Amino acid sequence: MPDVTTAGVTTTDLYEVTMALSYLQERMEQPATFSCFVRELPPDRGFLIAAGVDSVLDFLTRFRVGLEDVEVFAEALRQPVGELAPLLDLSFDGEVRAVPEGRVVLAGEPLLEVTAPLPQAQLIETFVLNQISHQTAVAAKCVRCVLAARGRPVVDFSLRRTHGTEAGFQAARLSAMAGFAGTSNVAAAYAERLPAVGTMAHSYVEAFEDEETAFTAFARTHPGPVTFLVDTYDTESGVAAAARVLHALDRAEGAAIRLDSGDLGALAVRARAMLDRAELPQVQIVASGGLDEFAVHDLVSAGAPIDVYAVGTRVGVSADAPFVDSAYKLVAYDGRPVMKLSSSKVTAPGCKQVFRGRGCRDVIGLADELPPAGTVPLLETLMRDGVRCAPRTTLADARQRLAADVADLPAAARAIRSPVPVEASVSAPLAALTEDVRRRIERAVLAPYGHYA
Amino acid sequence: MPDVTTAGVTTTDLYEVTMALSYLQERMEQPATFSCFVRELPPDRGFLIAAGVDSVLDFLTRFRVGLEDVEVFAEALRQPVGELAPLLDLSFDGEVRAVPEGRVVLAGEPLLEVTAPLPQAQLIETFVLNQISHQTAVAAKCVRCVLAARGRPVVDFSLRRTHGTEAGFQAARLSAMAGFAGTSNVAAAYAERLPAVGTMAHSYVEAFEDEETAFTAFARTHPGPVTFLVDTYDTESGVAAAARVLHALDRAEGAAIRLDSGDLGALAVRARAMLDRAELPQVQIVASGGLDEFAVHDLVSAGAPIDVYAVGTRVGVSADAPFVDSAYKLVAYDGRPVMKLSSSKVTAPGCKQVFRGRGCRDVIGLADELPPAGTVPLLETLMRDGVRCAPRTTLADARQRLAADVADLPAAARAIRSPVPVEASVSAPLAALTEDVRRRIERAVLAPYGHYA
């Protein structure tokens, strides 16, 4: 996977810099562990997909605070550059344990844990969240489209409405990981070795005198199988023109028509009938236009004769859940487990592991627990001493892992409408530690100020 | 504005390449005009904001198809490189007329019109839509936050959950254009000369033995005004600790506390009372945590004693409307106005202009019409012969334009809940042309195949 995010160390929230500087000045450089997880699944999600981990590892590999960065930090903090000297040359030499790209993950499960000297582990927070959050959201959305299509090919047409070109590139990669058959994104297809797919726009048809002339010219340019967009003026006249051109040029093999507006299910039925009557049973029907997993599910359930689903905008931005409730929380510092207690956002302390049983029945436990019988640990050590210690994930590997994990989910979690999320349980040692730390905090931090309660 | 989108010409949908190649082979290089507009406003939007135009002009300035690009295209099309020779060295030498960044725009109004030889104007479509769509959506969301805060400062904390770092940078810039008082995004603050803002994370408090120790250390590092995050364990104990430290270190001037969870309105009332009792009336209250314009509106309406609103995720991704229904449609080719008729997606033909009257009462007309009395044209010629012919928009200009336009909107369009969009009207000449072209198409294209209707 190429590194499309070229963000530097100044692509961060200001408070990371303030805190890192303070830690350095206070000589608080003992190892800290931060855990990145999603607190709750968005509505209509039964699972999430680990994604963005490789983008984080790329970033950490090149992470180093240069003099220019210090100047930028100093201006942001309105402090003299000299005050920020401790930040100069800071790089990342810690450890990253993470769930490899493509695996199913559940609410509350650590996707990634970073253990590094506190200033380093803090300074990378914003980038970690930025990448993990949106990639995880989009990957899960893509998987749901594949599930909705029940075996029919799904392709990615999202680039024109993703939040920028970086997001578009990542959407193409994530859609491939989820099992899409191709993408319209030429740069991403080239970089990731994916099938590039595409047809023609309405503007193409409009630029010619009529549809038949347009389709004929398109076929001349396009020596391979052609797909004609038939709904520029009127879908049935478009299908008729497509049928005549396919016959006239003897180009029916591998050909398709695309429907992009109106009642796609009804139009597909009429188009199919017209094509069959025109003795073109081999010509496929591609549907596009505002599709997402809900629309695909409804069309497939209704038996629409659609052969390929092209999804775009709503999937590329994960329109119904464009973010996940992710967190990057300090869980241990200098050997001491820590946690946050504030209302509705309690975090469990300590370095963790996820133990996966059959059917994605997971137990969240402590990293040093023995795996319960019949489970395997999900988090793997991917970086040690700031250096990758595992081969870069290939898209093929991630895709295979993803398919296996999704197949292993209970059917209710895979449902398109009202999915039932699988819930991870908590191991006895983790539960006991959480209780211990809570009591320690209540004693040490809260009790002295009880009179304010 | 720096150019954060470094995407090249291969960051495009495949069909743009297919079509451009076909046009070149067919010698269809006459001037074409494409119009980029938003068909309908998303729910809960009374207006949109022109944004992304400068990103497009940057892209067009550097647009040139090199040999490496042709190789990428050839692989995507599975054709020999030689077949794609007509694409080599293609650059953009057309004209761009657009609504300058920051202006209010309405549904159906062209944001941008490109006139160039057909292959060029087609090949840039994907990038134009990619930038205009998400920037317009995010800009409108940011403006609504400023309106909801009714004069109280709003700051941008969105970087951690935007769809990548490019989107995060743009969100920071757009929030400043909308009138935000600062951003947490250090790189964007530096590049755009915005106030960088930030406080501390819960992890900072947890890394110390207790809150008082943490706040004291933070104040040591931070010579300027400090903001203490008070809800790591229990908000009232946090406020008490903050008050003690501010008094002990004599750092109350310019200081603030931040509330990030729970019932922000109720907690702000209690925190305000505690601070006032502690003789710290000058200490401000910053609220954050899942805020958007709806939450800010409710807090402000309820009289919550919150001085600064920090909004993040939901605003940076425009969570309730993460995309707009944008289009880039061919409206004229070789002097001939064209249009699309397919169901619910009719586009009006011809090069257009928007004539703005007082109160954003707009008339969409043809580019060569005389402006109706009391109106000014919105679209300006920003690029001619592929060269920028207007100075680059400064953020200060855009911000000023935006504030004036938003102030000029009817109050109902500015409402946070159930806003009433302003609707543009259509000029008589544009309505007449639309009818003419529709009749021509029905005669020429559809009539011969009437038997399929």
Side-chain angles (χ1 to χ4, degrees):
Chain A
M1 182 190 56
D3 186 5
V4 291
T5 304
T6 53
V9 302
T10 64
T11 297
T12 183
D13 289 315
L14 180 65
Y15 81 170
E16 317 287 11
V17 183
T18 318
M19 293 189 282
L21 181 61
S22 180
Y23 293 144
L24 290 163
Q25 288 174 343
E26 301 285 325
R27 300 189 183 284
M28 291 171 68
E29 300 185 61
Q30 290 74 26
T33 299
F34 282 81
S35 188
C36 178
F37 59 96
V38 175
R39 286 192 193 93
E40 283 181 36
L41 297 191
D44 287 319
R45 296 292 183 278
F47 58 88
L48 289 175
I49 298 292
V53 174
D54 275 336
S55 303
V56 168
L57 296 177
D58 287 333
F59 178 75
L60 296 181
T61 301
R62 68 171 187 268
F63 190 92
R64 188 179 155 280
V65 180
L67 185 56
E68 285 181 15
D69 301 316
V70 172
E71 288 167 356
V72 171
F73 290 155
E75 180 161 319
L77 287 170
R78 298 168 205 90
Q79 291 197 34
V81 173
E83 296 292 314
L84 278 71
L87 286 167
L88 186 63
D89 286 335
L90 191 118
S91 61
F92 183 82
D93 58 19
E95 178 183 282
V96 176
R97 297 160 51 248
V99 180
E101 300 253 332
R103 296 217 70 159
V104 161
V105 286
L106 311 176
E109 295 184 349
L111 281 149
L112 176 142
E113 294 206 333
V114 172
T115 301
L118 182 55
Q120 296 174 24
Q122 185 69 65
L123 201 46
I124 65 172
E125 172 182 30
T126 303
F127 188 88
V128 170
L129 285 172
N130 175 279
Q131 292 296 314
I132 299 275
S133 302
H134 86 98
Q135 295 200 38
T136 296
V138 171
K141 185 79 173 170
C142 291
V143 170
R144 286 170 51 77
C145 291
V146 171
L147 290 172
R150 294 184 229 164
R152 291 159 193 82
V154 184
V155 297
D156 161 47
F157 278 10
S158 69
L159 175 59
R160 60 186 50 205
R161 298 238 186 69
T162 55
H163 290 191
T165 57
E166 176 192 334
F169 191 102
Q170 289 171 331
R173 187 183 71 86
L174 295 165
S175 75
M177 191 165 92
F180 278 32
T183 177
S184 65
N185 185 328
V186 175
Y190 186 80
E192 301 283 356
R193 308 191 159 278
L194 309 174
V197 294
T199 61
M200 64 177 63
H202 296 107
S203 57
Y204 185 85
V205 175
E206 292 164 324
F208 291 85
E209 277 304 310
D210 57 38
E211 290 172 306
E212 204 160 330
T213 315
F215 297 161
T216 303
F218 187 83
R220 258 199 301 272
T221 302
H222 218 304
V226 289
T227 299
F228 296 149
L229 178 61
V230 295
D231 68 345
T232 302
Y233 304 115
D234 170 88
T235 302
E236 299 195 14
S237 80
V239 174
R244 283 192 304 275
V245 172
L246 292 175
H247 275 307
L249 304 181
D250 193 17
R251 293 288 294 273
E253 283 318 306
I257 60 160
R258 176 161 75 102
L259 303 171
D260 186 51
S261 53
D263 178 341
L264 294 171
L267 289 171
V269 168
R270 281 148 72 184
R272 181 74 272 156
M274 287 177 68
L275 291 169
D276 290 348
R277 271 204 310 275
E279 297 184 344
L280 293 166
Q282 72 277 56
V283 173
Q284 295 202 318
I285 298 178
V286 181
S288 62
L291 295 178
D292 59 12
E293 74 271 40
F294 302 106
V296 172
H297 175 75
D298 291 345
L299 287 165
V300 170
S301 300
I306 293 168
D307 303 287
V308 178
Y309 287 93
V311 301
T313 304
R314 288 172 198 274
V315 176
V317 303
S318 186
D320 62 334
F323 65 92
V324 293
D325 185 20
S326 53
Y328 180 83
K329 291 295 167 192
L330 183 67
V331 294
Y333 176 58
D334 195 15
R336 173 172 63 91
V338 301
M339 67 192 284
K340 182 176 154 203
L341 285 184
S342 57
S343 58
S344 78
K345 289 188 177 179
V346 173
T347 57
C351 302
K352 297 183 194 66
Q353 181 55 276
V354 178
F355 303 105
R356 169 147 301 169
R358 297 286 289 272
C360 296
R361 254 170 252 282
D362 292 354
V363 180
I364 306 174
L366 294 168
D368 55 8
E369 279 181 50
L370 279 177
T375 69
V376 290
L378 276 195
L379 283 87
E380 300 175 11
T381 303
L382 301 180
M383 180 172 268
R384 200 173 277 134
D385 301 329
V387 178
R388 276 176 186 267
C389 59
R392 180 182 283 267
T393 302
T394 67
L395 194 50
D397 286 349
R399 187 172 172 139
Q400 202 166 22
R401 269 199 293 259
L402 184 150
D405 271 14
V406 170
D408 194 36
L409 278 166
R414 281 184 274 133
I416 302 305
R417 289 221 155 73
S418 307
V420 181
V422 191
E423 289 191 20
S425 58
V426 170
S427 75
L430 177 56
L433 179 69
T434 305
E435 208 34 51
D436 278 0
V437 175
R438 179 199 299 273
R439 257 187 264 116
R440 171 171 64 75
I441 292 170
E442 281 167 354
R443 229 171 21 241
V445 181
L446 301 180
Y449 318 122
H451 55 289
Y452 285 102
Chain B
M1 181 190 60
D3 187 5
V4 292
T5 303
T6 54
V9 300
T10 64
T11 297
T12 183
D13 289 315
L14 180 65
Y15 81 172
E16 316 288 11
V17 183
T18 317
M19 291 188 284
L21 181 60
S22 179
Y23 293 143
L24 290 163
Q25 289 175 344
E26 302 285 325
R27 301 189 184 283
M28 290 171 67
E29 299 185 62
Q30 289 74 26
T33 299
F34 282 81
S35 187
C36 178
F37 59 96
V38 175
R39 287 192 193 92
E40 283 182 35
L41 298 190
D44 286 319
R45 296 293 183 278
F47 57 89
L48 289 175
I49 298 292
V53 175
D54 275 337
S55 304
V56 168
L57 296 178
D58 287 334
F59 178 75
L60 296 182
T61 301
R62 67 171 187 269
F63 190 93
R64 190 181 153 279
V65 179
L67 185 56
E68 285 181 15
D69 302 317
V70 172
E71 287 166 358
V72 171
F73 291 156
E75 181 160 319
L77 287 170
R78 299 168 204 90
Q79 291 198 34
V81 173
E83 297 291 315
L84 278 72
L87 286 166
L88 186 64
D89 286 334
L90 190 119
S91 61
F92 183 81
D93 57 20
E95 177 183 281
V96 177
R97 297 159 54 248
V99 180
E101 302 253 331
R103 296 218 70 160
V104 161
V105 285
L106 310 177
E109 295 184 348
L111 281 149
L112 177 141
E113 294 205 332
V114 171
T115 301
L118 182 56
Q120 297 173 25
Q122 184 70 66
L123 201 46
I124 65 172
E125 171 182 27
T126 304
F127 188 88
V128 170
L129 285 172
N130 176 280
Q131 293 296 312
I132 299 275
S133 302
H134 87 98
Q135 294 199 40
T136 296
V138 171
K141 185 79 172 170
C142 291
V143 171
R144 286 169 51 79
C145 292
V146 171
L147 291 171
R150 293 184 230 166
R152 291 158 194 82
V154 184
V155 297
D156 162 46
F157 279 9
S158 69
L159 176 58
R160 60 187 50 204
R161 298 238 186 69
T162 54
H163 291 192
T165 57
E166 175 193 337
F169 192 101
Q170 289 171 331
R173 186 182 71 87
L174 295 166
S175 75
M177 191 166 91
F180 279 33
T183 176
S184 65
N185 186 329
V186 175
Y190 186 80
E192 302 282 357
R193 308 192 160 277
L194 310 174
V197 294
T199 61
M200 64 177 62
H202 296 108
S203 58
Y204 186 86
V205 175
E206 291 165 324
F208 291 85
E209 276 305 311
D210 57 39
E211 289 171 307
E212 205 160 330
T213 316
F215 296 160
T216 305
F218 188 82
R220 258 199 302 270
T221 301
H222 218 303
V226 289
T227 298
F228 296 148
L229 178 62
V230 295
D231 68 344
T232 302
Y233 304 117
D234 170 88
T235 302
E236 299 197 12
S237 80
V239 174
R244 283 193 304 276
V245 172
L246 292 175
H247 275 306
L249 304 181
D250 194 17
R251 293 289 293 275
E253 283 318 305
I257 60 161
R258 176 160 74 103
L259 303 172
D260 186 52
S261 52
D263 179 342
L264 294 171
L267 290 170
V269 168
R270 281 147 75 184
R272 182 74 272 156
M274 288 176 69
L275 290 168
D276 290 348
R277 272 205 309 277
E279 298 182 343
L280 293 166
Q282 72 276 57
V283 173
Q284 294 202 318
I285 298 178
V286 181
S288 61
L291 295 178
D292 58 13
E293 74 271 39
F294 301 105
V296 171
H297 175 76
D298 290 345
L299 288 164
V300 169
S301 300
I306 292 168
D307 303 287
V308 178
Y309 288 93
V311 301
T313 303
R314 288 173 198 274
V315 177
V317 303
S318 186
D320 63 333
F323 66 92
V324 292
D325 184 20
S326 53
Y328 180 82
K329 291 294 167 193
L330 183 67
V331 293
Y333 176 58
D334 195 16
R336 173 171 62 93
V338 301
M339 67 190 286
K340 181 179 156 202
L341 285 185
S342 57
S343 57
S344 79
K345 288 187 176 178
V346 174
T347 57
C351 301
K352 297 184 193 65
Q353 180 57 276
V354 178
F355 303 105
R356 169 148 300 169
R358 297 287 290 272
C360 296
R361 255 171 254 283
D362 292 355
V363 180
I364 307 175
L366 294 170
D368 54 9
E369 280 181 51
L370 279 178
T375 69
V376 290
L378 276 195
L379 283 86
E380 301 174 11
T381 303
L382 302 180
M383 180 171 267
R384 200 174 278 134
D385 300 330
V387 178
R388 275 177 188 268
C389 58
R392 180 182 283 267
T393 302
T394 68
L395 194 49
D397 287 348
R399 188 171 171 139
Q400 204 165 17
R401 268 199 293 258
L402 184 150
D405 271 13
V406 170
D408 194 35
L409 277 167
R414 281 185 275 132
I416 303 304
R417 289 221 154 76
S418 307
V420 181
V422 191
E423 288 189 22
S425 58
V426 170
S427 75
L430 176 55
L433 179 68
T434 305
E435 207 35 51
D436 279 358
V437 175
R438 180 199 298 274
R439 255 185 267 119
R440 172 172 64 75
I441 292 170
E442 283 168 355
R443 230 171 20 241
V445 181
L446 300 179
Y449 319 125
H451 54 290
Y452 285 105

